[in-house]
Amino acid sequence: MKLFKESCRTYFALPILTIFLYGSHANSSDIRIDALGGESRFLDDTVNLFRYPASAVNLPHIEIALFDDWAGAAYPLSEKHAIGLFFNRPTSRTHELRKYAIETGSEHFTQLHPKPWIDALYARRLGNVNFGISGQHYRDISNGAGYRANISASDITFGLGLHNKRNARIELGFGLHRTNLEDSVAGRSTRQTTEGTGWHTDIRATLPLSNSFNLFPIISITSDAFALEPETRKVSNWVAGVGLNSRPNQKVLAVVGVLVAKTKTKSISPDSGENEILELSLIHI
């Protein structure tokens, strides 16, 4: 059986236009990201360091982030080197893992909340070319009498950045995912991960139109395949869009943009057979 679903979802933050009051050009709070419907790729700041790890050397700053239960710092060692280290930082990957856990497995498995134990990055500048690498590890385990539930995942992203004297830039990130699942209850067969691999590619250009306006075309592709056996599940996501930033002064940033997204989920299980869901989204900011 194949199921197809099409949806058009529109998010507005101060209809069509979002205006931020900035204390610093390099930092972005959760409130600002929420105002963009969770979309951060139209912002040229530290929130995208793990998506585009090579960009860390373009954002010299020291930042200690203490929001809810996560913290971290990004630090420039010199003009050519930068490092970053975060603990317990929530990401879109943790949301996807949590969403799957809620819908699948035993009562113990559905209670898991995987969070990143550690995020680390390093970036290096060589002339007009930047290189970067970042890694994340997520995990949550629940053990008790007669049961064991576990979700663990690791990601590694390689980054490349190119820039010229006009400050036009192209940033690329290519990442690999590994996911391990376990759901064991006494008296039942232990369910392990099927496949458990994935990858993602992010490409963004920064095109200065003037001293106050920057154009941000973006393309992102993600593919993940993980499920508890005997089910198989593959999720593919394509996103393309363009954003425009206007900065009339150092404390004000206006953002407008549009994204087109396509998500395809294909799953096969002995109980329900083959299911395929296609979602199309149009998002305005």
Side-chain angles (χ1 to χ4, degrees), residues 6 8 27 47 56 69 89 104 170 189 213 230 249 256 271-272:
E6 295 188 6
C8 184
N27 302 310
V47 71
D69 58 350
R89 183 182 64 94
T104 312
I170 296 178
S189 60
F213 290 89
N249 60 60
V256 60
D271 296 331
S272 58

Side-chain angles (χ1 to χ4, degrees), residues 197-249:
T197 58
W199 58 272
H200 72 267
T201 298
D202 289 284
I203 303 173
R204 180 176 73 169
T206 302
L207 306 176
L209 302 181
S210 69
N211 291 334
S212 302
F213 290 89
N214 286 318
L215 196 66
F216 290 91
I218 66 164
I219 298 175
S220 297
I221 304 173
T222 304
S223 178
D224 264 313
F226 63 85
L228 283 171
E229 59 186 3
E231 181 186 47
T232 62
R233 174 179 172 272
K234 183 176 181 179
V235 179
S236 301
N237 180 257
W238 299 264
V239 178
V242 62
L244 180 66
N245 285 7
S246 173
R247 189 182 293 278
N249 60 60

Side-chain angles (χ1 to χ4, degrees), residues 127-244:
N128 293 332
V129 181
N130 299 343
F131 301 93
I133 185 171
S134 67
Q136 296 84 38
H137 182 68
Y138 319 84
R139 193 171 189 181
D140 193 18
I141 300 175
S142 178
N143 287 315
Y147 73 87
R148 174 183 171 84
N150 170 50
I151 295 178
S152 64
S154 298
D155 299 348
I156 185 170
T157 300
F158 303 93
L160 176 67
L162 307 172
H163 61 278
N164 62 19
K165 294 181 180 180
R166 294 183 61 251
N167 205 31
R169 301 195 306 273
I170 296 178
E171 297 163 296
L172 301 93
F174 175 75
L176 300 173
H177 311 162
R178 180 65 187 174
T179 305
N180 294 299
L181 311 175
E182 181 183 358
D183 188 14
S184 177
V185 179
R188 308 180 196 173
S189 60
T190 299
R191 300 177 66 187
Q192 302 279 359
T193 314
T194 56
E195 297 190 62
T197 58
W199 58 272
H200 72 267
T201 298
D202 289 284
I203 303 173
R204 180 176 73 169
T206 302
L207 306 176
L209 302 181
S210 69
N211 291 334
S212 302
F213 290 89
N214 286 318
L215 196 66
F216 290 91
I218 66 164
I219 298 175
S220 297
I221 304 173
T222 304
S223 178
D224 264 313
F226 63 85
L228 283 171
E229 59 186 3
E231 181 186 47
T232 62
R233 174 179 172 272
K234 183 176 181 179
V235 179
S236 301
N237 180 257
W238 299 264
V239 178
V242 62
L244 180 66

Side-chain angles (χ1 to χ4, degrees), residues 239-275:
V239 178
V242 62
L244 180 66
N245 285 7
S246 173
R247 189 182 293 278
N249 60 60
Q250 287 299 315
K251 293 186 177 181
V252 177
L253 175 67
V255 181
V256 60
V258 61
L259 291 170
V260 177
K262 175 184 175 183
T263 301
K264 181 180 178 181
T265 303
K266 183 177 182 179
S267 60
I268 302 175
S269 69
D271 296 331
S272 58
E274 179 178 337
N275 294 321

Side-chain angles (χ1 to χ4, degrees), residues 115-129:
K115 294 183 178 180
W117 282 15
I118 186 172
D119 294 346
L121 69 83
Y122 169 77
R124 172 79 160 93
R125 174 181 294 158
L126 293 172
N128 293 332
V129 181

